[in-house]
DNA sequence: TTCTACCCATTGAAGCGAAT
DNA sequence: ATTCGCTTCAATGGGTAGAA
């Protein structure tokens, strides 16, 4: 007895956490065996008593009385589905390197039992082709968010792929001075949203392509729109921006064929204003940022989508179509 | 067979005051 | 401040009976 009696309780908790779940129910003798592996000799009834103690403390343990098979830890910090979402997101994220993804997934795995962890992770496929090669991503995210919090400007170097598929510095390694405003996800990429020192509009930078971040002791530049203390909402901004190209905000009216309802909802959300236009079409009115990204998004639907208003955006599309016509004539 | 419930004896741990 | 000795208390395990 002695020290071992206290260790036993903790070991039992650990055993329940690591080795039990709804599909692997442990009997008292299973637990006794596992305790023995750790050098603790325990008696049947004291195991039961310990489990009841854990339950009384608040652990959600399914008892023999309830399931007639044995014991298992029912709820954990994360449910299987929640964990799966997190793990999938990590493995799909282009900004996180393969190495960092694997480390993160290993940590996430510890939030459930060994069995379930193995099951979930076995289904995850990490696509190395799309993964960033920048191991400094965490550092970048950290430095950038501190800068945002402290209302400071940052210096960094920005990289891009050249046609030889090599990463090289943009603008010959010149430093970018940016007032950072937010970090946000868009289609598996992590972006910094901020204002470049030389310009007055919002720009986006892929966080995984940013290098050598340095926090400056200068206060952030304020955009005119936000001078009156209005809070910058990253999520809202990303929603209104298409494929991370900036442009002017305009109200547009677009006619879509009915079968395009899903991509439209994906893009505009369920709150979008839309109404029927005959039997085969519907009309959408929405405020968006007009950009190359938006036009490419619209053109992917070919003749199944038609932008009706405003005229100047229609003209932009006409121009684009003319360019295409020249290539494919 | 496996678990729970109850009673009982044993024993280690904790609490506390006194001594060093 | 630490150690010793004493008492008290709670945890453990043995036994038995009973339920599923």
């Amino acid at each position: 007895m002695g020290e071992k009696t206290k260790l036993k309780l903790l070991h039992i908790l650990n055993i329940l956490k690591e080795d039990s779940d709804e599909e692997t129910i442990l009997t008292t003798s299973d637990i006794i065996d596992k305790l023995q592996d750790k050098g603790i000799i325990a008696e049947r009834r004291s195991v039961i008593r310990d489990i009841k103690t854990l339950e009384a403390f608040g652990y959600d343990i399914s008892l023999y009385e309830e399931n007639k098979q044995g014991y298992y830890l029912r709820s954990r910090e994360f449910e299987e589905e929640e964990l799966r979402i997190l793990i999938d997101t990590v493995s799909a994220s282009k900004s996180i390197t393969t190495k960092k993804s694997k480390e993160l997934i290993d940590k996430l795995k510890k939030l459930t039992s060994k069995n379930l962890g193995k099951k979930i992770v076995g289904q995850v496929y990490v696509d190395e082709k799309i993964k960033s090669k920048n191991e400094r991503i965490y550092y970048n995210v950290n430095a950038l968010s501190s800068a945002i919090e402290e209302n400071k400007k940052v210096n960094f170097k920005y990289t891009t792929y050249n046609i030889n598929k090599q990463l090289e510095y943009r603008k010959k390694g010149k430093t970018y001075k940016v007032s950072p405003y937010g970090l946000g996800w868009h289609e598996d990429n992590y972006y910094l949203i901020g204002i470049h020192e030389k310009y007055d509009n919002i720009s986006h930078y892929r966080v995984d392509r940013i290098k050598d971040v340095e926090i400056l002791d200068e206060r952030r530049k304020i955009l005119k729109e936000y001078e009156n203390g209005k809070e910058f909402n990253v999520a809202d901004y990303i929603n209104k921006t298409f494929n991370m190209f900036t442009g002017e905000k305009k109200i547009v009216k677009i006619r879509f064929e009915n079968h395009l309802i899903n991509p439209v909802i994906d893009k505009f959300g369920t709150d979008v204003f839309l109404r029927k236009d005959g039997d085969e079409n519907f009309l959408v009115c929405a405020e968006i940022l007009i950009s190359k990204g938006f036009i490419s998004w619209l053109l992917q639907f070919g003749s199944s989508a038609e932008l009706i208003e405003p005229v100047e955006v229609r003209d932009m599309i006409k121009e684009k179509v003319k360019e295409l016509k020249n290539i494919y004539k």
Side-chain angles (χ1 to χ4, degrees):
Chain A
M1 269 213 238
E3 285 306 308
K4 292 262 170 93
T5 46
K6 287 172 183 168
L7 281 174
K8 191 174 72 189
L9 181 68
L10 294 169
H11 275 298
I12 289 176
L13 176 59
N14 222 5
I15 287 166
L16 286 170
K17 272 188 179 170
E18 287 185 358
D19 299 323
S20 84
D21 55 60
E22 275 169 70
E23 286 161 37
T24 33
I25 298 173
L26 300 175
T27 64
T28 40
S29 45
D30 288 337
I31 294 171
I32 290 165
D33 288 347
K34 286 180 196 298
L35 280 174
Q36 216 155 28
D37 294 342
K38 297 182 183 183
I40 291 171
I41 297 126
E43 202 267 345
R44 195 185 86 234
R45 275 156 299 188
S46 52
V47 170
I48 292 160
R49 247 188 292 233
D50 281 348
I51 291 171
K52 296 230 169 122
T53 309
L54 291 171
E55 203 213 1
F57 178 74
Y59 283 98
D60 190 7
I61 297 166
S62 177
L63 303 173
Y64 181 87
E65 296 157 50
E66 183 189 299
N67 58 54
K68 300 294 167 219
Q69 288 180 67
Y71 302 88
Y72 67 89
L73 192 60
R74 200 181 296 113
S75 65
R76 300 162 193 280
E77 286 92 328
F78 290 94
E79 296 302 324
E80 188 183 339
E81 304 75 33
E82 295 171 327
L83 215 51
R84 182 161 297 162
I85 290 169
L86 288 173
I87 289 176
D88 284 348
T89 309
V90 169
S91 65
S93 164
K94 291 177 194 157
S95 317
I96 305 172
T97 60
T98 308
K99 191 172 150 232
K100 288 269 187 298
S101 297
K102 284 181 178 157
E103 285 169 13
L104 262 177
I105 289 169
D106 266 346
K107 286 186 184 170
L108 289 169
K109 232 166 70 177
K110 294 209 179 86
L111 296 170
T112 189
S113 72
K114 282 181 193 159
N115 269 330
L116 271 184
K118 245 186 246 164
K119 197 175 118 195
I120 296 171
V121 173
Q123 296 159 351
V124 172
Y125 166 67
V126 178
D127 187 353
E128 303 206 10
K129 278 188 297 231
I130 61 158
K131 284 291 193 182
S132 163
K133 303 269 187 294
N134 186 354
E135 292 288 349
R136 303 274 286 168
I137 179 99
Y138 289 169
Y139 174 79
N140 284 352
V141 171
N142 232 334
L144 292 170
S145 43
S146 323
I148 292 167
E149 214 169 288
E150 291 165 23
N151 209 0
K152 299 263 172 71
K153 286 179 188 169
V154 288
N155 266 347
F156 58 79
K157 287 179 181 163
Y158 202 44
T159 61
T160 185
Y161 280 100
N162 62 23
I163 50 163
N164 298 322
K165 297 184 286 186
Q166 283 157 336
L167 214 50
E168 60 176 28
Y169 285 116
R170 273 204 188 183
K171 298 191 183 168
K172 291 177 184 150
K174 239 185 99 189
T175 306
Y176 283 56
K177 194 181 204 178
V178 172
S179 297
Y181 271 86
L183 291 159
W185 286 97
H186 182 73
E187 292 183 353
D188 297 333
N189 284 313
Y190 205 36
Y191 290 87
L192 166 70
I193 295 157
I195 308 158
H196 192 283
E197 190 66 9
K198 282 188 191 157
Y199 314 106
D200 270 328
N201 55 353
I202 294 175
S203 332
H204 319 116
Y205 306 91
R206 284 267 299 265
V207 173
D208 56 313
R209 296 213 191 129
I210 288 173
K211 277 196 169 166
D212 309 331
V213 184
E214 191 190 338
I215 302 177
L216 301 175
D217 204 15
E218 279 177 59
R219 284 182 65 82
R220 278 192 299 194
K221 226 161 102 172
I222 297 171
L223 257 194
K224 284 180 204 84
E225 293 173 66
Y226 298 97
E227 267 170 358
N228 48 8
K230 222 169 77 184
E231 198 63 33
F232 181 78
N233 185 330
V234 179
D236 194 47
Y237 179 79
I238 289 172
N239 266 340
K240 285 187 177 144
T241 315
F242 282 78
N243 300 333
M244 285 289 165
F245 294 103
T246 34
E248 213 180 323
K249 240 188 235 174
K250 286 210 168 108
I251 291 171
V252 293
K253 190 194 231 179
I254 312 166
R255 182 191 292 123
F256 290 98
E257 287 178 8
N258 283 344
H259 61 92
L260 291 176
I261 186 68
N262 286 319
V264 168
I265 296 282
D266 285 346
K267 216 54 167 169
F268 297 96
T270 45
D271 290 337
V272 67
F273 175 80
L274 57 83
R275 69 183 150 86
K276 268 186 81 156
D277 181 45
D279 280 342
E280 279 156 32
N281 299 289
F282 63 91
L283 284 169
V284 168
C285 285
E287 189 188 33
I288 54 129
L289 290 163
I290 306 302
S291 65
K292 280 187 204 162
F294 166 68
I295 290 168
S296 317
W297 177 80
L298 194 66
L299 284 174
Q300 70 176 302
F301 304 114
S303 57
S304 299
E306 181 189 355
L307 187 133
I308 297 161
E309 282 171 18
V311 186
E312 59 271 27
V313 180
R314 233 184 123 86
D315 288 342
M316 284 166 80
I317 295 171
K318 267 189 205 159
E319 202 54 45
K320 186 86 194 164
V321 171
K322 214 184 274 171
E323 279 173 33
L324 286 172
K325 220 167 142 191
N326 280 333
I327 297 173
Y328 290 107
K329 69 184 169 199

